[in-house]
Amino acid sequence: MTISVAMTVNGKPVSGKVEARTLLVQFLREHLGMTGTHVGCDTSQCGACVVHVDGKSVKSCTMLAVQADGANVTTIEGLASSPDKLHPMQEAFRDNHALQCGFCTPGMVMSAIDMVKRHNYQLDEATVRHELEGNLCRCTGYHNIVKAILAAAPAMKAAGV
Amino acid sequence: MTATGIGARVLRTEDKRFLTGTGRYVDDLALARATYAYFLRSPHAHAKIKSIDISAAEKMPGVVAVYTGKDVAESKVGGLICGWVVKDKHGEPHKAPPHPPMALDTVRYVGDTVAMVVANSPEEAKDAAEKIKVDYEVKPSIVDLAHALDKGAPQVHAEAPGNLVYDWEIGSKADVDAALAKAAHVTKIDIVNNRLIPNAMEPRAAAAEYDKGTGHYTLWSTSQNPHVLRLILSAFVLGIPEHKLRVIAPDVGGGFGSKIFCYADETLVCWAAAKVGRPIKWTAERSESFMTDCHGRDHVTHAELALDKDGKFLAFKVETIANMGAYLSTFSTAVPTYLYATLLAGQYTTPVIYANVKAALTNTAPVDAYRGAGRPEATFVIESIVSKAAQELKIDPAELRRKNFIPSTAFPYQTPVALQYDSGNYPPIIDEAMKIADYKGFAARRSEAKARGKLRGIGFSSYIEACGLAPSQVIGQLGGGVGQWESAQIKFNPTGNVQILTGAHSHGQSHETTFAQIVSDKLGVPLENIEVVHGDTATTPFGMGSYGSRSLAVGGSAIMKAADKIIAKGKKIAAHLMEASVNDVVFENGTFKVAGTDKSVPLAQTVFAAYVPHNYPLAELEPGMDENAFYDPANFVYPAGTQICEVEVDPDTGVVEIVNFTAVDDFGNIINPMIVEGQVHGGIVQGVGQALLEKAVYDSDTGQLLSGSFMDYAVPRADDVPSFKLGYKVTPCPHNPLGVKGCGEAGAIAAPAAVMNAVHDALAPLGVTHVPMPATPMNVWRTIHGA
């Protein structure tokens, strides 16, 4: 049995027919072909799949596609305003070498943006480290990710995003 | 130094695609008419398969095919190979039990492959697998390494009596025993190097397609070394001629060793693609990664260090049992021998060393190289015993190390365990580390912590590693089945931009940036006009791939050789264009000049002339500007460094907090300091993970993997680790053209000992001399309370 779902992804209306068990991440990756959102585990631990649903960061491996029916979803593909103009968080990750293999990166960036906003653009190292508890990275040792997020917070505020 | 050349902090070329969600990993592939594989895996550590009934599974919706070990065996698929023959102390080759990609009649670890379902969707494949009925006769299993070689232990393979793969030794036992017998002091340790699960963030994946019109196979795989994978599959396992098999390793999400090896899964996906006549995709669930990725470390070791009354090392004896798991993986046998025991001199002048290594089979996942591979285990033994000796002799741990360092004047230095260190200068490294870590201020910080009820400790780890694998003839003499050179091709296009094709593979190491910097520096081509191509056997020259911190030292050197060939050819073209003698032409900053004149021709003009040879010395010179090079190094490279870790232990809870962490390394010349720092950070955190958090646990009774998810196996999270203070000292490698060593593994090699030595130092006032690794709150609390 399939169920119809419709939602807005990165500002564009999308729809499809899914199984009841289809996860939001599967809908994004397999139905829409948006493979920027990754799956790194099967226990909602690694955070590679984080997207924004109605402005809040969500692990898209832990939400059914049908639960996102009618929602406004933003993925890593929808962050940059143009191919040459990255989001300040994306810029900060690049400037601070906060990524190596790139696999955890989409989830890291999406979590980080939500974190900065929830803390009203004011963060310290301990807060960033604590907030990153739901995102695993095996390459960077987190040092540069923390640096990037601390650098991005004022940049996001200045850019009004 | 130019703004984009060697030594510059250039931002990464590869970042844009990863930051915008446009990276291309294996699971991102959309293949027309794709099917999906699911592997049924053994729930038992050791069992006989009495029967398998696939009839119900075959009838499930969407199922295309179901295969068992019998089908695989009937197709004459060969066993997975171990590519390194280690000869035991009697000169006999190691025991090599067969490793069928799918179990035929016996399963030997939880996760061993039992059946394969191919279906129209991953969900349908998994649903159908649940309908396969396997009748197992469960047999006794052995997962505990310390007892694997005991008399009466359950036998993993009939081909390896007593579970012994080899009993190997290096060095003179008689000399070492004699020195131990008469030494003023002998320090002894018994340590377990805890078993780790690599956990690259991208799970392993494979996809395969067969073209029946041409007989060509294409295999996409999360591989660190696609050419080697193709070679193994062609020559040993599947028998597909090498020219009919293309292996592509696109963007790969981390490897740390675990993606070097030829696994059953990709073998079977490739094999079955021809049988079903449609592409097949498979991506591991994380639970499968935990169960079936090759694990790392897992040693039980007794060591003794003999010292004279002044603390000079006289002899070192090491006895290790190393876990191989249930089958011998691709390079497993080399890890606890040639990558471990040959490193036991460390940074010290210890005159005689003896090591005995027994490799054991157990009913656990195969164990093979994981970041550092043997060298972290060696460093942990050396640096643990040196710190313990310092404590016993009441000598400052830095002082004891300094007293025994190989002096800078002694290089090249022949160790008693085969290696010849090419270069190094260790005292300035430890001095710099102590300065950065404010070693002088430690006593005051310890007192201050004590006032807060915390036990503060400081730990040193001075490591050496041999990496940049390696001289092929040495590898061959030691039993390695492959060469260890690397390849490069520099291909100019007529318009002057460049492709660098490399046999190395980047899965986080940043080759697309670093390799381009080398060519930009050497040939004066702007960075944006250079592209690095890797990971596809159809487009890149045969190469050995990336592991063992070899890509820059060996692959980068091949690029330098290819660039030299470009310059040599460009000189001849330029000489022709400028009507000068080749001997008078020099190359500077991307331009050929006639010395002592104002005549010049930019490299790009010689490239154009080479592709449009209207005014060109065709009689003496071929057209085109495309040069290949292969580089086989003269020796390993020997990065070295000192890490200093400072911890605070809460004696009430056993929680260890790292409050300060310094690493000073000598990686030779550095191409991009930003990237090197990132490699060091990541390596340290994997080492810290081993020291404080990570341990693969199998249940002794049932052989079940108890640490089978991120909820049970503690990969370090951001709030488990601090930020790091790094420093560098440079002694260029004397035998490669870049003067570089390797930086990928150093952090993970040194960190476990630095952390554990700090923990032991913190707990010394309580009389504690040994905490088992990882120093989890429970292990620390139990040790403190003698529980």
Side-chain angles (χ1 to χ4, degrees):
Chain A
M1 194 190 83
T2 57
I3 305 165
S4 295
V5 291
M7 62 190 84
T8 304
V9 177
N10 299 330
K12 289 187 189 135
V14 298
S15 59
K17 288 191 189 321
V18 300
E19 286 187 62
R21 63 180 168 179
T22 302
L23 301 168
L24 176 57
V25 68
Q26 293 172 315
F27 181 67
L28 293 169
R29 288 180 57 83
E30 290 154 27
H31 292 244
L32 304 181
M34 298 176 67
T35 54
T37 304
H38 296 154
V39 179
C41 77
D42 43 16
T43 51
S44 293
Q45 292 288 304
C46 81
C49 65
V50 171
V51 299
H52 294 174
V53 177
D54 294 330
K56 285 186 181 164
S57 65
V58 163
K59 286 181 174 170
S60 62
C61 74
T62 312
M63 186 176 195
L64 297 168
V66 293
Q67 290 176 293
D69 191 42
N72 196 345
V73 177
T74 306
T75 71
I76 190 75
E77 289 99 333
L79 279 184
S81 51
S82 76
D84 298 319
K85 181 76 184 152
L86 297 180
H87 186 282
M89 188 62 77
Q90 292 170 313
E91 287 285 1
F93 267 60
R94 179 166 150 79
D95 289 347
N96 290 284
H97 186 34
L99 62 152
Q100 290 178 24
C101 81
F103 196 79
C104 77
T105 308
M108 281 285 176
V109 168
M110 299 309 285
S111 287
I113 291 170
D114 184 55
M115 178 199 311
V116 169
K117 287 184 181 171
R118 278 188 289 105
H119 287 270
N120 197 24
Y121 306 94
Q122 290 186 326
L123 289 158
D124 56 24
E125 178 174 345
T127 308
V128 172
R129 286 186 179 278
H130 178 70
E131 285 275 354
L132 277 181
E133 220 256 348
N135 290 78
L136 293 175
C137 171
R138 198 61 156 159
C139 292
T140 65
Y142 304 104
H143 180 112
N144 285 341
I145 292 178
V146 173
K147 231 168 99 182
I149 296 171
L150 289 172
M156 280 173 60
K157 191 174 184 184
V161 293
Chain B
M1 183 175 94
T2 65
T4 59
I6 290 171
R9 190 174 276 270
V10 176
L11 297 183
R12 296 204 317 166
T13 309
E14 41 275 82
D15 282 351
K16 190 171 175 185
R17 70 175 188 275
F18 294 140
L19 282 164
T20 54
T22 50
R24 291 264 290 166
Y25 301 87
V26 173
D27 190 59
D28 299 343
L29 276 177
L31 296 168
R33 299 177 61 246
T35 63
Y36 299 84
Y38 184 83
F39 293 104
L40 183 71
R41 301 190 184 277
S42 169
H44 301 295
H46 196 193
K48 189 171 159 42
I49 299 173
K50 290 165 74 180
S51 66
I52 303 179
D53 179 0
I54 59 170
S55 56
E58 284 178 315
K59 291 183 198 121
M60 288 289 285
V63 169
V64 175
V66 181
Y67 300 112
T68 65
K70 197 163 151 271
D71 301 308
V72 179
E74 280 170 3
S75 282
K76 308 244 178 296
V77 173
L80 302 178
I81 60 157
C82 174
W84 198 304
V85 179
V86 169
K87 289 191 175 159
D88 71 10
K89 62 186 186 187
H90 308 295
E92 295 296 318
H94 72 76
K95 299 289 186 296
H99 184 184
M102 203 183 284
L104 200 54
D105 51 18
T106 305
V107 287
R108 292 186 172 83
Y109 70 102
V110 171
D112 209 350
T113 314
V114 174
M116 176 186 194
V117 181
V118 182
N120 288 329
S121 75
E123 293 80 11
E124 285 169 329
K126 195 173 178 180
D127 288 346
E130 284 187 17
K131 302 289 179 190
I132 298 175
K133 294 193 189 87
V134 187
D135 188 6
Y136 292 105
E137 179 188 318
V138 177
K139 297 165 80 171
S141 60
I142 174 78
V143 297
D144 185 356
L145 175 62
H147 296 292
L149 300 175
D150 288 356
K151 254 201 175 120
Q155 292 296 289
V156 182
H157 289 274
E159 293 83 356
N163 296 325
L164 185 68
V165 176
Y166 52 71
D167 180 352
W168 176 92
E169 65 183 1
I170 189 168
S172 164
K173 186 168 186 291
D175 290 352
V176 170
D177 283 341
L180 282 163
K182 61 180 183 203
H185 184 85
V186 176
T187 296
K188 301 179 181 181
I189 51 168
D190 285 283
I191 49 177
V192 173
N193 198 291
N194 41 322
R195 182 180 180 112
L196 303 178
I197 304 179
N199 276 307
M201 289 315 301
E202 179 203 24
R204 285 191 297 113
E209 193 169 43
Y210 175 68
D211 183 331
K212 66 179 175 188
T214 61
H216 269 265
Y217 289 79
T218 305
L219 172 66
W220 290 265
S221 171
T222 50
S223 175
Q224 299 179 215
N225 43 347
H227 285 280
V228 175
L229 178 59
R230 181 179 69 159
L231 176 65
I232 293 173
L233 288 175
S234 292
F236 301 100
V237 186
L238 290 176
I240 302 166
E242 220 172 339
H243 65 300
K244 297 285 187 187
L245 174 60
R246 174 182 183 184
V247 177
I248 302 173
D251 286 330
V252 172
F256 315 112
S258 69
K259 293 171 180 169
I260 298 172
F261 322 118
C262 179
Y263 285 92
D265 319 281
E266 57 213 357
T267 302
L268 294 170
V269 164
C270 196
W271 166 76
K275 291 183 81 81
V276 302
R278 286 167 63 186
I280 304 180
K281 260 183 88 174
W282 167 79
T283 301
E285 296 178 1
R286 180 57 60 181
S287 314
E288 292 180 280
S289 309
F290 274 101
M291 276 193 292
T292 67
D293 286 6
C294 285
H295 294 183
R297 318 284 190 256
D298 208 355
H299 286 191
V300 174
T301 294
H302 172 78
E304 300 185 9
L305 178 67
L307 304 96
D308 72 12
K309 61 179 178 22
D310 301 319
K312 200 86 176 135
F313 303 160
L314 302 174
F316 190 30
K317 183 177 180 179
V318 177
E319 291 162 331
T320 292
I321 307 175
N323 201 342
M324 296 282 106
Y327 301 97
L328 300 180
S329 171
T330 316
F331 292 114
S332 56
T333 49
V335 175
T337 49
Y338 297 114
L339 297 177
Y340 167 71
T342 55
L343 273 299
L344 288 169
Q347 297 190 358
Y348 311 113
T349 54
T350 317
V352 285
I353 297 172
Y354 170 77
N356 171 239
V357 179
K358 296 185 176 81
L361 292 161
T362 60
N363 294 111
T364 64
V367 180
D368 206 325
Y370 165 60
R371 202 169 193 166
R375 290 150 290 169
E377 295 92 312
T379 301
F380 187 61
V381 175
I382 301 162
E383 290 305 285
S384 296
I385 205 165
V386 168
S387 280
K388 191 175 181 201
Q391 201 178 44
E392 288 175 353
L393 295 172
K394 301 192 171 31
I395 301 176
D396 178 271
E399 198 41 50
L400 184 61
R401 285 175 169 81
R402 214 180 262 118
K403 199 185 277 270
N404 287 284
F405 279 156
I406 297 161
S408 64
T409 50
F411 293 93
Y413 177 80
Q414 180 62 51
T415 74
V417 275
L419 295 176
Q420 189 184 70
Y421 298 169
D422 61 354
S423 60
N425 188 6
Y426 308 139
I429 297 176
I430 200 167
D431 290 347
E432 178 76 1
M434 289 166 74
K435 203 169 106 192
I436 296 174
D438 184 26
Y439 188 66
K440 281 186 188 146
F442 174 69
R445 294 195 294 279
R446 174 177 263 178
S447 306
E448 185 276 331
K450 197 176 173 191
R452 287 184 281 111
K454 296 285 177 67
L455 299 169
R456 197 157 172 133
I458 197 160
F460 286 78
S461 178
S462 297
Y463 76 95
I464 177 85
E465 62 162 318
C467 60
L469 276 60
S472 294
Q473 289 180 354
V474 174
I475 298 297
Q477 284 158 16
L478 300 181
V482 289
Q484 283 288 0
W485 42 266
E486 196 45 86
S487 62
Q489 184 181 356
I490 298 181
K491 189 160 87 174
F492 274 86
N493 296 312
T495 52
N497 48 37
V498 185
Q499 280 182 313
I500 305 167
L501 297 105
T502 171
H505 185 273
S506 183
H507 32 282
Q509 294 92 333
S510 320
H511 298 165
E512 290 170 41
T513 306
T514 315
F515 287 0
Q517 281 180 257
I518 295 171
V519 169
S520 177
D521 194 282
K522 181 95 174 158
L523 299 182
V525 179
L527 215 53
E528 61 270 24
N529 291 350
I530 304 172
E531 186 174 70
V532 175
V533 180
H534 60 98
D536 183 346
T537 60
T539 57
T540 62
F542 193 103
M544 304 313 298
S546 290
Y547 43 83
S549 306
R550 68 189 303 278
S551 299
L552 183 62
V554 192
S557 297
I559 291 171
M560 289 290 277
K561 277 189 74 177
D564 284 336
K565 291 184 183 178
I566 294 280
I567 293 169
K569 186 166 187 180
K571 260 186 191 171
K572 290 179 188 167
I573 302 168
H576 175 86
L577 294 175
M578 295 188 286
E579 296 175 340
S581 159
V582 173
N583 296 332
D584 295 335
V585 177
V586 292
F587 183 65
E588 284 167 7
N589 303 323
T591 302
F592 295 100
K593 293 172 183 161
V594 179
T597 73
D598 58 356
K599 283 186 184 173
S600 71
V601 168
L603 173 64
Q605 197 179 325
T606 64
V607 170
F608 185 78
Y611 282 106
V612 187
H614 295 168
N615 175 19
Y616 193 86
L618 281 168
E620 298 102 55
L621 205 58
E622 293 173 14
M625 193 64 103
D626 182 350
E627 295 290 347
N628 258 300
F630 293 82
Y631 179 79
D632 202 317
N635 194 350
F636 297 86
V637 291
Y638 298 92
T642 288
Q643 294 184 351
I644 301 177
C645 175
E646 208 168 318
V647 300
E648 280 190 8
V649 181
D650 183 334
D652 296 330
T653 62
V655 169
V656 176
E657 186 191 357
I658 296 174
V659 289
N660 222 330
F661 201 111
T662 302
V664 177
D665 294 287
D666 176 2
F667 296 135
N669 294 330
I670 286 174
I671 308 298
N672 184 328
M674 178 191 82
I675 285 164
V676 169
E677 284 160 19
Q679 292 294 311
V680 175
H681 295 153
I684 291 172
V685 169
Q686 286 184 5
V688 166
Q690 168 158 37
L692 295 182
L693 299 158
E694 299 180 40
K695 187 183 182 185
V697 183
Y698 284 93
D699 182 77
S700 304
D701 294 332
T702 63
Q704 293 297 319
L705 177 63
L706 301 181
S707 55
S709 82
F710 284 136
M711 296 159 84
D712 312 291
Y713 182 94
V715 164
R717 292 168 196 254
D719 55 359
D720 292 317
V721 292
S723 290
F724 304 100
K725 296 171 190 162
L726 308 184
Y728 300 97
K729 292 286 170 188
V730 176
T731 56
C733 170
H735 60 76
N736 66 46
L738 287 162
V740 295
K741 301 179 181 180
C743 70
E745 297 165 292
I749 286 171
V755 177
M756 293 306 293
N757 286 339
V759 171
H760 291 144
D761 184 51
L763 298 181
L766 305 180
V768 169
T769 56
H770 178 71
V771 177
M773 189 159 71
T776 58
M778 186 170 81
N779 279 345
V780 172
W781 191 92
R782 278 186 171 169
T783 306
I784 292 173
H785 293 85

